[in-house]
Amino acid sequence: MVSGAASQLVFTVQPSNTQVGAIITPPVQVTATDAFGNIATDFAGDVTIAIGTDGSLFQNANLHGTLVVAAVNGVATFSDLSIDQVGGGYKLVVSATGPGGATSRAFNITLLP
């Protein structure tokens, strides 16, 4: 099967609840898909990730790690992301030149034990 041009980004591995300052595991993964939902394996563009909804009490949380990743065979993996403020309801957003962006499901950042 041959995929078409990338038209949309989708979270294929959503961010998970984690502790403040800890690396989000498993790594967040974003896939470029064509108009039919197939992986756009030819897409090798840069994908940028950011906090879309800030779940922290003071609305000043920062996302740390590698925030721009080049897709490989249509997939961008963010393996070192962390957030520096406790909060519930965080959402991440991704964007790239070409395909439409996406928003993750909500997740929480909790205190260290």
Side-chain angles (χ1 to χ4, degrees):
M1 176 185 293
V2 176
S3 66
S7 64
Q8 186 67 42
L9 298 173
V10 295
F11 280 86
T12 44
V13 177
Q14 294 278 346
S16 59
N17 296 337
T18 194
Q19 295 173 341
V20 65
I23 301 297
I24 298 172
T25 57
V28 174
Q29 193 171 73
V30 176
T31 301
T33 60
D34 66 16
F36 303 102
N38 302 308
I39 298 172
T41 55
D42 289 343
F43 180 73
D46 287 341
V47 179
T48 301
I49 195 164
I51 295 176
T53 299
D54 185 342
S56 71
L57 181 62
F58 301 107
Q59 303 296 308
N60 63 348
N62 295 297
L63 181 64
H64 298 277
T66 305
L67 305 181
V68 178
V69 172
V72 176
N73 297 322
V75 179
T77 302
F78 296 89
S79 58
D80 63 349
L81 299 178
S82 66
I83 295 179
D84 63 3
Q85 295 289 326
V86 171
Y90 281 100
K91 291 183 181 178
L92 299 179
V93 294
V94 289
S95 61
T97 300
T103 301
S104 75
R105 67 178 170 93
F107 63 101
N108 302 319
I109 301 296
T110 59
L111 288 173
L112 297 172

